[in-house]
Amino acid sequence: MVKIFLDTANIDEIREAASWGVLDGVTTNPTLVAKTGRKWSEVIQDILALVDGPISLEVTTTQAEEMIKQGRQLAKLHKNVVVKIQMTTEGLKAIKALSTEGVRINTTLIFSANQAILAAKAGAKYVSPFIGRLDDMGQEGMQVIREIAEIFRNYDWDCEILVASIRHPLHVIEAAKLGADIVTLPFDVLKKMTQHALTDVGLKRFVDDWQKVPK
Ligand code: G3P
């Protein structure tokens, strides 16, 4: 079944989604942490305490040696930490080194199937294609998911497709139809997935009619 992650650093959103019983993990990035206005270390401690599933924390350096050092420190924080590394040649070196040591890596900023192939070959546990940002510039993001899914099916790679930069519920349906392993969602997209106008109408009728039943 497709796993659902929240793409946020907002603790209230994570707490709410976790209470619904459908949250499998969390992805963060520097932009999302900056939005909270809180200290990075406090945000991360809160997330790790709330969710027992993979929590992606991104390195903030761009040279392999520094990424490896930072990745090791992040991985030491908690067993659930997944180190998020950018899809660059320096990133590939860091993915190879850290994955060889047993650190789980989520490769971020993936925009093509070729980049996903390289990340998987280097040893990444997850590849994160950003479909919304491709859609934003007029290229069909879901086509990249289609290609990666087809390619990964051909090989025995232990690498999961984590669909990122999701903009709306239709992206979730399309990704799941293609067999993507994970979707990481802004909270508003997850909330929209719970809603349907006919559910509201139907519920109101049940509640009203129950009042008419002699008790
Ligand atoms: O966290 C990575 C990705 O999901 C970011 O999405 O909305 O900034 O394109 P977005």
Side-chain angles (χ1 to χ4, degrees):
M1 185 185 293
V2 66
K3 284 172 268 190
I4 293 181
F5 289 7
L6 265 195
D7 194 29
T8 186
N10 181 308
I11 299 304
D12 293 334
E13 292 177 350
I14 295 170
R15 188 178 293 113
E16 178 69 8
S19 76
W20 299 347
V22 294
L23 188 61
D24 297 302
V26 175
T27 52
T28 65
N29 63 38
T31 307
L32 294 170
V33 178
K35 265 190 206 164
T36 68
R38 300 179 59 209
K39 272 183 79 174
W40 181 88
S41 54
E42 289 171 11
V43 172
I44 300 314
Q45 285 313 321
D46 284 353
I47 298 174
L48 288 167
L50 266 175
V51 181
D52 187 16
I55 311 293
S56 287
L57 306 181
E58 189 158 336
V59 298
T60 50
T61 47
T62 54
Q63 295 306 301
E65 226 169 280
E66 291 302 314
M67 287 167 152
I68 294 166
K69 267 191 217 150
Q70 202 183 357
R72 283 184 188 134
Q73 283 163 1
L74 291 174
K76 264 191 223 145
L77 289 177
H78 195 282
K79 67 174 173 53
N80 286 338
V81 169
V82 172
V83 176
K84 207 171 178 185
I85 292 187
Q86 307 89 314
M87 176 55 225
T88 59
T89 50
E90 288 299 301
L92 287 175
K93 295 179 203 171
I95 293 165
K96 182 71 186 178
L98 288 167
S99 63
T100 305
E101 294 173 15
V103 176
R104 284 181 302 167
I105 307 294
N106 173 4
T107 312
T108 190
L109 291 171
I110 287 196
F111 293 93
S112 75
N114 276 323
Q115 291 178 320
I117 289 170
L118 292 174
K121 270 195 82 73
K125 172 71 186 161
Y126 308 96
V127 286
S128 287
F130 279 28
I131 60 167
R133 292 193 196 179
L134 284 168
D135 287 357
D136 290 346
M137 57 174 287
Q139 188 181 334
E140 195 203 345
M142 206 54 73
Q143 179 58 21
V144 176
I145 305 302
R146 200 171 288 120
E147 288 173 355
I148 298 171
E150 187 180 339
I151 292 163
F152 281 17
R153 265 197 301 273
N154 290 338
Y155 302 98
D156 194 20
W157 281 335
D158 183 24
C159 184
E160 298 187 32
I161 304 173
L162 193 166
V163 183
S165 186
I166 283 182
R167 300 269 187 266
H168 49 71
L170 199 52
H171 274 154
V172 180
I173 293 172
E174 289 299 323
K177 278 163 69 177
L178 292 171
D181 301 284
I182 304 155
V183 288
T184 189
L185 311 176
F187 182 73
D188 73 300
V189 175
L190 180 64
K191 196 156 191 334
K192 282 180 190 162
M193 285 174 67
T194 69
Q195 298 165 341
H196 198 288
L198 291 178
T199 305
D200 299 339
V201 171
L203 176 61
K204 185 173 178 341
R205 191 185 300 166
F206 286 151
V207 169
D208 290 348
D209 288 346
W210 177 241
Q211 298 310 314
K212 299 173 196 157
V213 176
K215 291 153 199 113

